Amino acid sequence: MKAHLRDESHTNALGVSLARALLPGLSIHLHGDLGAGKTALTRALLHAAGHAGTVKSPTYTLSEPYRVTLDGQPVDVIHYDLYRMGSPEEFLDTGFREDFDGHNICIVEWPEKAEGVLPPPDLRVTLSVAGDGRDVELQAFSALGLSCLQRLHFPQIL
Ligand SMILES: Nc1ncnc2c1ncn2[C@@H]1O[C@H](COP(=O)(O)OP(=O)(O)O)[C@@H](O)[C@H]1O
Ligand SMILES: [Mg+2]
């Protein structure tokens, strides 16, 4: 599934659509260069999922947990930014791998940094600069990811 995000309002709209399509246990990998909009998308998603506070890029902490309610059930959404991770082993040492337990929703910026130790995604989102806007591609890699994509109603989809 591909779309063009003309400006940041489209990125936010995709975040809202994704928030509505979330399912417990979902693991989402966000690919794209610095400034592609990975954090912006995650921020919009978390706010739409009901998180009222700020959403900072977890640049130094590498991970930041949020608690949201999905269909009346509390679910932890954990946002990672692995850009500054020194080696894939660090992902294991920090205990991050245990977060991927089939219940938490894990959203990972810079999954490349934990290659080999990061569980495979249910959904891959690839953002790239295109003119003044961004192109986005969403790909499912599991039944759960496919369910999420089927639940996704995003008006800008090409
Ligand atoms: N669709 C879009 N078109 C143009 N600019 C966008 C779009 N979506 C987000 N942006 C801008 O791009 C930047 C993305 O930054 P950020 O989300 O921190 O990127 P990343 O986390 O991928 O490094 C922000 O300045 C944001 O305002
Ligand atoms: Mg970021």
Side-chain angles (χ1 to χ4, degrees), residues 30 32-40 42-43 56-59 79-81 83 109-110:
L30 302 181
D33 289 339
L34 279 175
K38 303 180 294 298
T39 301
T42 306
R43 186 175 290 128
K56 290 179 292 181
S57 182
T59 308
H79 177 207
Y80 304 86
D81 181 346
Y83 188 67
E109 296 188 39
W110 296 101

Side-chain angles (χ1 to χ4, degrees), residues 2-131:
K2 288 183 183 179
H4 180 66
L5 308 169
R6 189 160 29 94
D7 55 31
E8 189 163 11
S9 72
H10 281 211
T11 301
N12 293 342
L14 178 61
V16 172
S17 298
L18 272 172
R20 294 192 182 125
L22 284 180
L23 293 162
L26 205 60
S27 162
I28 305 176
H29 289 188
L30 302 181
H31 289 262
D33 289 339
L34 279 175
K38 303 180 294 298
T39 301
L41 181 67
T42 306
R43 186 175 290 128
L45 180 157
L46 281 163
H47 285 151
H51 172 70
T54 57
V55 174
K56 290 179 292 181
S57 182
T59 308
Y60 295 99
T61 54
L62 302 183
S63 97
E64 194 67 41
Y66 300 87
R67 170 68 59 89
V68 304
T69 304
L70 285 187
D71 295 326
Q73 301 294 319
V75 180
D76 289 322
V77 180
I78 309 172
H79 177 207
Y80 304 86
D81 181 346
L82 304 181
Y83 188 67
R84 286 174 195 277
M85 204 171 66
S87 68
E89 288 69 40
E90 210 180 315
F91 184 81
L92 302 176
D93 296 342
T94 49
F96 287 166
R97 206 173 201 289
E98 278 72 54
D99 295 342
F100 294 70
D101 62 359
H103 298 285
N104 298 330
I105 294 173
C106 297
I107 303 178
V108 188
E109 296 188 39
W110 296 101
E112 301 89 339
K113 300 280 179 174
E115 214 175 330
V117 292
L118 186 65
D122 299 297
L123 198 64
R124 179 196 286 163
V125 179
T126 307
L127 289 154
S128 51
V129 174

